[in-house]
Amino acid sequence: MSESKLAGQFFDAAIGLLERVRDEESGSIAAAGDVIADAVVAGGRLFAFGAGHSSLAAQDVVYRAGGLALMNVLAVPGTLGVDVMPATLGSALERVDGLAGAVLDSSPATSGDVLVIISLSGRNALPVEMALNARALGLKVIGVTSVAYAEGTRSRHSSGGFLRDHCDIVLDSKISIGDAELDVEGIEAPFAPASTVVTSAIMQAMMAAAAEGLLERGVEPPLLRSGNVDGGHEWNGRVMTEYADRIFYRH
């Protein structure tokens, strides 16, 4: 069977981005892990938010084998993915002023908690306001975004700012504007986006750094095991019982 030249080019592009993030964002990822570890030790809660395809990386760290049991999705109805009908509604809601504040006000998030906000462009009203409002409430905000958008596009928020402007820590995914790694003669539109691969890797690296930080603080990281290995359900039950007041995906 012959190999696909374009498939190979995509792997090369994705690997290159992962290497850049590993080498250039290591300090920021370690700092984000420390913020999460400090919050766990202090009794804080952990939340992740992303809209559209950015929500995939947020969901990837919630209630999963090998993940921190304390990670919760901060859900904004209508923005979590393509299951919304029509799918275009999610994109429209990202530009609605005031939505982020309403969601935060009705959420369990409070001062001392940590919120990871994922937005590739970081230019829409929803992630920008989410960061602004969260910091005003006393949350620590970690932004996962592409700084290239802040340097090459205009903000859609009334402040003129981007997500990166309102975070305690920024993790740059290095994704180019347009989120498409391949541009081939004969195909009019660029294609093969890598943002999900890279952003999910950033999130998992941050969780690994948090586990390392907890170990250094003498605290057993509250990790979940796979339910498909013997003893996994029993292990998870104990962890969820111990941290029940900080886990919201069971309610």
Side-chain angles (χ1 to χ4, degrees), residues 4-244:
S4 168
K5 177 182 176 182
L6 294 183
Q9 288 180 3
F10 173 76
F11 277 116
D12 289 343
I15 291 168
L17 285 163
L18 289 169
E19 289 177 338
R20 279 192 65 197
V21 169
R22 178 197 63 196
D23 296 342
E24 299 173 17
E25 297 299 304
S26 58
S28 296
I29 289 171
D34 281 334
V35 166
I36 291 171
D38 285 340
V40 172
V41 172
R45 287 83 63 84
L46 311 175
F47 299 90
F49 164 75
H53 285 91
S54 290
S55 73
L56 297 175
Q59 294 178 59
D60 192 44
V61 295
V62 176
Y63 185 53
R64 67 157 302 136
L68 285 176
L70 274 62
M71 288 301 305
N72 301 277
V73 167
L74 184 65
V76 177
T79 68
L80 277 181
V82 295
D83 58 327
V84 178
M85 293 297 290
T88 51
L89 176 62
S91 298
L93 288 174
E94 288 188 64
R95 304 181 189 185
V96 173
D97 293 335
L99 182 57
V103 168
L104 278 170
D105 288 346
S106 60
S107 80
T110 189
S111 180
D113 294 346
V114 175
L115 173 59
V116 183
I117 301 176
I118 306 163
S119 174
L120 178 61
S121 73
R123 68 188 298 219
N124 288 313
L126 185 55
V128 175
E129 286 188 2
M130 190 72 77
L132 277 165
N133 283 273
R135 292 182 85 188
L137 289 172
L139 279 76
K140 289 285 187 180
V141 175
I142 300 168
V144 183
T145 188
S146 170
V147 171
Y149 278 85
E151 296 173 345
T153 68
R154 288 186 179 182
S155 170
R156 290 176 174 145
H157 186 247
S158 57
S159 69
F162 287 75
L163 170 61
R164 72 163 188 178
D165 301 320
H166 304 290
C167 299
D168 296 286
I169 298 173
V170 176
L171 306 180
D172 182 7
S173 65
K174 316 295 181 181
I175 300 294
S176 299
I177 296 173
D179 190 19
E181 296 303 316
L182 301 184
D183 191 354
V184 176
E185 185 177 352
I187 300 177
E188 291 192 21
F191 58 102
S195 61
T196 303
V197 173
V198 176
T199 304
S200 290
I202 290 173
M203 295 295 288
Q204 294 299 345
M206 181 169 52
M207 296 299 103
E212 183 178 12
L214 287 166
L215 183 64
E216 292 171 349
R217 290 159 175 76
V219 175
E220 175 70 27
L223 297 167
L224 297 174
R225 291 180 181 268
S226 171
N228 296 313
V229 300
D230 292 342
H233 287 299
E234 292 77 13
W235 171 279
N236 293 341
R238 289 192 297 270
V239 172
M240 289 183 180
T241 297
E242 182 177 353
Y243 290 94

